[in-house]
Amino acid sequence: MENIFVNAAGGIRNLLESAGLPSLVVDISIMTTIFVAILVFVLLNVLWLVYMERKVSAYIQCRIGPNRVGPMGIFQTIADTVKLISKEIIIPKNTNKKLFLLAPVMIFMPPMAVFAVTPFGKGMVALDLNIGVYYFVALASLSTVVIWMAGWTSNNKYSLLGSMRVVAQMVSYEVPLLLSIVGVVLLTGTMNLTGIITAQQSVWMIFLQPVAFLIYLIAAVAETNRTPFDLVEGESEIITGPFTEYSGMGFAFFFLAEYANVLLVSMLASILFLGGWLAPFGLTFIPSWIWLLLKVYLVIFLLMWFRWTYPRTRIDQMMAFCWKVLVPLAIVNIFVTGIGKYLYESVRW
Amino acid sequence: MFGKGLLKGLKITIGRFFGKKSTVQYPEERLPLPDRFYGKPDFHYDKCIACNLCVNACPNKVIKLGTETVEKKKVVTGYHFDQQYCLFCGLCEEACPTDAIKFTKDFELTTYDRDTIGIEFVKQGQIDKKIKEVKQAAAEKAAAAEKAAAEKAAAETKSQTEEADKAETTNKEGGA
Amino acid sequence: MKTQEMLINVGPQHPSTHGVFRVVLTLDGETVVKANSVPGYLHRGIEKILESRTYPQVLPYTDRLDYLAGLLMNWGYVNAMEELMDTEVPERAEHIRVIMGELQRIASHLVATAAYSGDVGGLTGFIYCFRDREDIMDMIEMVSGARLTPSYMRIGGVAADLPDGFLEKCQKFIDYLPTAIEEYNGLITGNEIFQHRTKKVAPITAERAINMSLSGPILRASGVNYDLRKARPYSIYDRFEFDVPLGSNGDCFDRFYLRVLEMTESARIIRQALDKLPDGPINAKVPKIIKPAVGEAYAEIESSKGIMGVYVVSDGSTKPYRIHFRRPSFINLGHFDELIQGWKIADVIAILGSFDIVLGEVDC
């Protein structure tokens, strides 16, 4: 079980090599297989997450939620997606058609690209990048551009308001997100995601960096535009913000991309703070990738729980909270971490 | 302390997450409807006395009552209930002296086209039957009246003769 | 840097204008510079229609004014008619009216609370309030046969006596209500994010509230102790013991929280009315064909949104010469344009929610 995916990859490689193919072709086909596998993994998770969100929200609200399509309504998202595919894509007047249609396609790119460097289990990483954390931060902020693109080209004032909020919100919250990760990087001394996980062998980062975890969680909620920071969509104020004019699959892409982002930030949270695929209490008989999934879903449940409990903040309050509370707190956290690390090391030596 | 309210909210929602659900799975499960529920109207042809009270009570002129006078008696020939304009206020039911118009508990009133939404309660057969009955009743009554009249006449003549006889006898007696 | 103001249409199709209400906002970024509200999208000309209806036929139309508090609208009309005709309503009918009216008030306030929670983004609070409102709707359905448009009150009494099992159900609900309110307070009122969103937002001073002729919870949130049930008791409200909750700042939070407090007071009234409920007739002796003498009458009740006044002019026929409704939502909304100036677009929604308008009533 533990090495099922690693062995599968190895098996394919052996098969191809034994067929006498040149090593470049083998590498390319292995890489393609891995990326397709990641794509399928992400898409399946996203479909599941949409269903899970509906179920969680229903259970919190004393309802049952979708229960008609398939057992427990498990195929509801698929039915919805099929419905959305069959719908007409309406393009509003006086828009830049190319950009308008490009935005929903591009929205999946940043989270997908980041998944290339995230370890899914022991030895299960497509690209073991040295600067994984840096890569994540750099690419994740790209979605701002895409959402702004959608909002601007929609030629709708609500979309414009929403996309202005996107830029303000996501750029601001990137700062505390980044600063909270710096604490972890300081302690582990590496930017490689696998390295960060292995550094948590003795103790998870959440216990060493509780404040950083909290800041990361709040900033992650803001980054994924979910309640209480869902000002971008803010359906009671600006309809659905940048996505107002999108219909059919265009809307579905934005909708699903939100969950891809949720999956991404939750995965990063469990890698950076919850020990990634490390098994707690020595329960190593459960495969590492299952442990990672469990942790990821714990964080996701937390995010959903927040979403269905809290009301929305206002734009000025949200910005004030970011710049006046989170950023100073994160800086203080880095400072304290640095001092702590220095003292710890000097005492040990 | 800041955050106390946030934590309390989380506690409430997680309690509800594991708590009892209040969904009623509609087409399979149904909540009981109270007796006073105003659903689809129902009309009892035999009870209606064509008094027009329901027509006058209706705020939206939903009810069209057609009557025909057969043998000096009002017969209902049509009771059209244009459901799409009905407010389901129950004023017609309240006005009816004989409970001829009643509301049932059927609330699934959707139809596929506009023509079928109005309900024509009275069937031609019912009218024919009623008219026949009325005519028959009238005929019977007439016959009975005739018979009665004849009987009466007969009785009168009889009584007259009897009286005459009596008079005669008394006369006779008196004479005797 | 050159900036430009932006004109934005909120409504008539917008998720949180509570119906088909439209506000034309001039925005500077996210801040409202100028606002112009355009009601009238739900105008059905009820007042004009009523001129061609007989007096009892008016009743079902009043349901459709404030469709969240149909019974209270019924009450406003029959109250005016009783004044016009000088009818004495039997004791039992008065008690039933108080019970049903207060239940309807709780239901209306529950919708206000729910919608407000939804307006500021907390959808769970919305569902919780509606879950509990369902009990009241069931009770109203039980008594009148319809959930939203009960048409239950009649000139001189009520349509039918309380059915079997109603009293137990009502008692059970009243006993349950405090737990529910505690839940709303925990989830919505006590939430710091919610408080930040609503406290000190768009305060109305007492003086301004009186000048703008505001009424109902909005007026009382500004600290003005004016509840018709206390100030000028109609029906039998002078016999019940209850307090009038008052706000102090007149901000959105006070306007919201006042409704939650009023629910408790309504429950108190219902409890007393249930205890006192006398036996007897439920209808006064009113002629079958209502033909009031030539004259006019104006009567007010305290509806869930404010003071609901009904003005009836009779020309001696079976149909009213003129009926006018003083709709509290409409008059309260008069202060809206001025109030939202200078606030953010998110606040506009919060302020509109705190006004608790019902478009059926605004547009009539």
Side-chain angles (χ1 to χ4, degrees), chain C residues 129-329:
Chain C
C129 290
F130 265 74
R131 179 197 61 203
D132 299 326
R133 175 174 173 262
E134 203 62 16
D135 289 343
I136 301 179
M137 288 289 118
D138 282 350
M139 275 188 270
I140 290 174
E141 191 183 27
M142 205 170 159
V143 171
S144 70
R147 292 157 61 84
L148 283 174
T149 54
S151 304
Y152 176 60
M153 298 197 185
R154 293 286 182 273
I155 299 163
V158 290
D161 208 341
L162 297 174
D164 295 337
F166 173 82
L167 296 179
E168 293 77 41
K169 207 168 173 191
C170 189
Q171 193 71 49
K172 211 174 132 199
F173 176 76
I174 297 301
D175 292 339
Y176 160 74
L177 193 67
T179 356
I181 287 176
E182 202 177 309
E183 192 174 359
Y184 311 146
N185 281 341
L187 186 70
I188 311 167
T189 322
N191 191 302
E192 273 92 351
I193 298 172
F194 177 81
Q195 291 187 1
H196 271 81
R197 273 298 296 278
T198 52
K199 274 191 176 163
K200 299 198 181 94
V201 171
I204 307 175
T205 59
E207 196 191 350
R208 192 76 194 131
I210 294 168
N211 286 349
M212 290 311 289
S213 185
L214 303 182
S215 57
I218 306 178
L219 177 71
R220 292 193 285 276
S222 300
V224 184
N225 190 347
Y226 189 71
D227 186 327
L228 272 189
R229 292 174 293 172
K230 273 270 193 242
R232 253 191 291 141
Y234 55 95
S235 186
I236 48 166
Y237 274 112
D238 45 354
R239 297 187 211 163
F240 298 112
E241 221 177 276
F242 64 98
D243 298 320
V244 180
L246 289 179
S248 47
N249 305 321
D251 54 14
C252 281
F253 181 79
D254 277 2
R255 288 195 282 270
F256 161 82
Y257 191 51
L258 200 82
R259 296 199 175 90
V260 179
L261 293 175
E262 273 194 10
M263 282 190 239
T264 323
E265 294 304 320
S266 288
R268 249 174 95 187
I269 297 174
I270 296 172
R271 200 182 293 275
Q272 292 170 46
L274 284 175
D275 289 345
K276 285 184 195 166
L277 190 68
D279 286 328
I282 51 156
N283 264 310
K285 286 209 165 55
V286 177
K288 272 230 150 144
I289 293 165
I290 294 173
K291 245 179 165 178
V294 180
E296 54 185 55
Y298 178 72
E300 285 176 334
I301 63 151
E302 180 77 28
S303 114
S304 56
K305 315 282 187 291
I307 293 171
M308 163 76 186
V310 181
Y311 178 57
V312 190
V313 183
S314 160
D315 58 357
S317 69
T318 55
K319 290 171 182 174
Y321 178 73
R322 173 88 167 93
I323 288 187
H324 176 72
F325 298 107
R326 182 213 188 270
R327 292 106 59 202
S329 295

Side-chain angles (χ1 to χ4, degrees), chain C residues 50-85:
Chain C
L50 296 184
E51 287 169 20
S52 60
R53 299 288 185 269
T54 63
Y55 285 101
Q57 285 177 0
V58 168
L59 207 75
Y61 286 93
T62 56
D63 285 336
R64 284 149 180 88
L65 289 172
D66 178 353
Y67 40 76
L68 297 176
L71 280 164
L72 291 168
M73 298 292 112
N74 286 174
W75 201 354
Y77 170 67
V78 295
N79 211 23
M81 281 309 291
E82 279 148 17
E83 194 166 306
L84 183 69
M85 293 166 61

Side-chain angles (χ1 to χ4, degrees), chain A residues 117-260:
Chain A
V117 297
T118 47
F120 291 90
K122 200 184 254 173
M124 283 166 65
V125 53
L127 207 65
D128 207 1
L129 211 59
N130 261 340
I131 46 162
V133 174
Y134 182 73
Y135 179 79
F136 156 69
V137 173
L139 273 185
S141 50
L142 271 183
S143 11
T144 318
V145 181
V146 182
I147 299 180
W148 165 257
M149 204 157 99
W152 177 253
T153 52
S154 287
N155 193 25
N156 176 316
K157 285 165 184 171
Y158 286 110
S159 305
L160 186 65
L161 272 176
S163 45
M164 288 196 298
R165 285 180 177 186
V166 163
V167 176
Q169 175 179 334
M170 289 177 83
V171 169
S172 306
Y173 272 85
E174 222 119 77
V175 178
L177 186 83
L178 191 86
L179 292 179
S180 67
I181 297 176
V182 168
V184 178
V185 175
L186 264 181
L187 284 187
T188 53
T190 172
M191 276 202 183
N192 185 320
L193 289 172
T194 316
I196 288 175
I197 291 173
T198 41
Q200 298 177 60
Q201 199 78 53
S202 50
V203 58
W204 291 0
M205 275 302 153
I206 186 173
F207 301 115
L208 296 177
Q209 293 277 324
V211 181
F213 178 68
L214 208 63
I215 295 169
Y216 177 88
L217 207 63
I218 293 169
V221 172
E223 279 290 298
T224 49
N225 304 324
R226 292 169 62 84
T227 325
F229 302 108
D230 65 336
L231 292 102
V232 174
E233 283 164 36
E235 75 278 347
S236 64
E237 296 149 22
I238 51 168
I239 330 293
T240 28
F243 320 132
T244 309
E245 293 289 349
Y246 283 92
S247 61
M249 217 44 216
F251 177 76
F253 269 137
F254 285 113
F255 192 67
L256 296 176
E258 185 192 322
Y259 289 98

Side-chain angles (χ1 to χ4, degrees), chain A residues 60 157-158 165 236 308 312, chain C residues 7 9 16 30 120 124 128:
Chain A
I60 280 178
K157 285 165 184 171
Y158 286 110
R165 285 180 177 186
S236 64
W308 295 105
R312 187 180 310 119
Chain C
L7 199 72
N9 246 316
S16 41
E30 288 238 354
V120 296
T124 303
Y128 285 3

Side-chain angles (χ1 to χ4, degrees), chain B residues 23 28 46 48 58 69 83 119 168 171:
Chain B
T23 305
E28 291 93 26
D46 295 331
C48 183
C58 182
T69 315
Q83 228 183 155
I119 315 171
E168 252 173 46
N171 279 351

Side-chain angles (χ1 to χ4, degrees), chain C residues 337-350:
Chain C
D337 287 1
E338 188 191 311
L339 195 65
I340 58 174
Q341 276 171 31
W343 295 98
K344 298 260 182 304
I345 188 165
D347 292 324
V348 171
I349 305 302

